[in-house]
Amino acid sequence: MMTSLVGQHVDALDTPALLIDRKVLLGNIEVIGASLRKLGTAWRPHAKAHKSPSIAHLLLEAGAHGITCAKTSEAEIYAASGIRDILIANQVVGPIKTRRLAQLARQADIAVAVDCLENALEHDAAAAEAGTSPRLVIEINSGMNRAGIDPGDDTVELAKRIVALKHVRFGGVMTWEGHTTTVVDPAAREQAIHDSLAPVLESVLAIQDAGIDVPIVSCGGTGTFRTTAGIEGVTEVQAGGGIFGDQIYRALGVPVQPALSLLVTVTSRPAPDRVIIDAGRKSLDPTAALPEVQGLSNVQSMSFSAEHGIINLSAPTADVRIGDRLQLLIGYSDQAVHLHEQFFVLDGNTVSSVWPTWARGRLQ
């Protein structure tokens, strides 16, 4: 931990260093939170991007009623920090994993996604052994064609079978309509979201018609929540990464600003039109979205090897020198944060906090 840097100027940081602009971060949280409050939909932000209990608690203070995780090991970190309402939005399969989750249910009110009876039975057996009662949430395929049971009769039957189990609780349903974010036209994207969620919500009504309560209907990431949260029947959204104002979300029209950046040092100027920096793929993964270089208007292209970033300029310049520092606005936080041990939180140019990313590397 580098808490000794608190109170110092940003220039005291070694590079690469992952920075959060506190004012912008809080502004983004308020934008998302205010939108959801207006629509009357609960917020269960996904924690897979930020990896930080400090941020998770900040979101709870801002009105979130729980969090979403990707893995049981992530959930363990957040439960240890005092968070109690946690949804693991993935299938947790096999005796090693289900026993681990059942034990975690001693510390927190855990919900976990299932999409078949076999997995539900595994959880029931593990819960019986541990003496706990985790919630099972049925993941429904809304068109992304990743995990998830088909909507309709199959979903209703699975809900009935879960309700009949003795050691788990039926928690509701979830889906992720992520495929709709590839629709470029905003109006067509909005319609695609409605079309994707319609069969899911019809399944919810069918489950309720069978006399089964559906407490959770969880959908919506940052790229879709402004539409999803306004659809009748949706109880909560999982939008989380948008708090950083990633470029991929701003490109979808989400009204957030960039709060996350990588401070880097120029290490070489081998040509007047090329800048080499000390951050490569071990500092950020540009696969989903390239970062944006602040203060350089003539960037033509960027590429990354393991330890180096290469910035090619459209015209020669002597303005950037070896030892200068640049800030790269992160394109997609999911593919950067997990590579760093902490965030350096800035108020202006002063380091005001250091927030560890305790949940990084938690892959099980």
Side-chain angles (χ1 to χ4, degrees):
M1 284 294 295
M2 299 185 177
T3 52
S4 61
L5 291 162
V6 172
Q8 297 196 43
H9 194 277
V10 65
D11 288 346
L13 298 178
D14 199 359
T15 61
L18 197 60
L19 310 179
I20 290 178
D21 185 315
R22 182 194 294 269
K23 182 178 179 180
V24 178
L25 175 70
L26 294 177
N28 291 341
I29 291 173
E30 176 57 24
V31 164
I32 298 173
S35 176
L36 296 175
R37 288 193 297 272
K38 183 178 180 181
L39 294 168
T41 303
W43 192 12
R44 186 188 292 277
H46 216 305
K48 66 183 175 65
H50 63 70
K51 307 289 187 186
S52 170
S54 298
I55 294 178
H57 281 278
L58 195 65
L59 290 163
L60 292 172
E61 291 169 8
H65 72 98
I67 66 167
T68 306
C69 293
K71 299 293 180 72
T72 303
S73 56
E74 280 187 343
E76 289 170 339
I77 294 295
Y78 293 108
S81 80
I83 296 174
R84 293 294 170 257
D85 191 344
I86 302 174
L87 167 64
I88 301 172
N90 279 319
Q91 286 69 40
V92 174
V93 176
I96 295 173
K97 294 180 181 294
T98 53
R99 286 171 181 160
R100 186 174 182 176
L101 184 140
Q103 291 295 331
L104 181 59
R106 296 180 182 275
Q107 303 176 46
D109 189 8
I110 298 294
V112 61
V114 297
D115 63 2
C116 67
L117 179 60
E118 291 83 356
N119 190 206
L121 291 171
E122 284 186 308
H123 283 293
D124 191 61
E129 181 180 318
T132 56
S133 183
R135 294 172 290 170
L136 303 189
V137 174
I138 297 174
E139 181 173 6
I140 302 175
N141 180 17
S142 58
M144 194 170 179
N145 295 329
R146 193 169 60 183
I149 194 169
D150 287 340
D153 292 343
D154 290 346
T155 295
V156 177
E157 181 60 25
L158 181 55
K160 291 177 180 178
R161 297 296 296 271
I162 291 172
V163 168
L165 298 175
K166 295 181 178 180
H167 305 287
V168 293
R169 293 169 288 153
F170 177 63
V173 306
M174 63 156 283
T175 193
W176 169 221
E177 65 284 4
H179 58 289
T180 64
T181 61
T182 62
V183 180
V184 176
D185 179 70
R189 187 187 316 131
E190 182 174 352
Q191 186 60 53
I193 294 169
H194 279 273
D195 292 345
S196 296
L197 294 184
V200 174
L201 297 171
E202 290 169 3
S203 299
V204 171
L205 292 175
I207 294 170
Q208 292 170 333
D209 287 343
I212 300 171
D213 185 33
V214 186
I216 293 174
V217 180
S218 189
C219 325
T222 300
T224 64
F225 83 91
R226 291 179 299 161
T227 298
T228 301
I231 297 175
E232 185 177 358
V234 173
T235 66
E236 63 180 36
V237 298
Q238 299 177 16
I243 63 172
F244 289 134
D246 294 352
Q247 187 272 334
I248 63 168
Y249 300 128
R250 287 182 280 121
L252 291 170
V254 182
V256 289
Q257 299 302 317
L260 186 67
S261 63
L262 188 67
L263 183 67
V264 301
T265 298
V266 176
T267 56
S268 179
R269 289 300 318 273
D273 60 353
R274 189 160 74 250
V275 177
I276 309 302
I277 57 175
D278 63 346
R281 289 180 178 269
K282 293 182 181 179
S283 299
L284 61 86
D285 181 347
T287 304
L290 286 169
E292 302 171 42
V293 186
Q294 285 192 306
L296 276 181
S297 59
N298 59 337
V299 175
Q300 185 176 57
S301 64
M302 297 183 69
S303 61
F304 295 86
S305 56
E307 304 289 355
H308 299 83
I310 303 168
I311 305 172
N312 295 301
L313 307 176
S314 58
T317 182
D319 293 339
V320 181
R321 301 181 179 183
I322 293 174
D324 285 353
R325 293 184 165 204
L326 300 172
Q327 278 185 251
L328 310 183
L329 301 180
I330 297 299
Y332 186 41
S333 54
D334 280 47
Q335 294 180 325
V337 173
H338 70 290
L339 300 170
H340 297 264
E341 294 182 342
Q342 65 269 314
F343 299 104
F344 296 96
V345 185
L346 302 183
D347 281 311
N349 289 318
T350 301
V351 179
S352 60
S353 301
V354 178
W355 292 342
T357 53
W358 293 124
R360 68 185 290 263
R362 299 287 173 160
L363 305 176
Q364 292 80 29

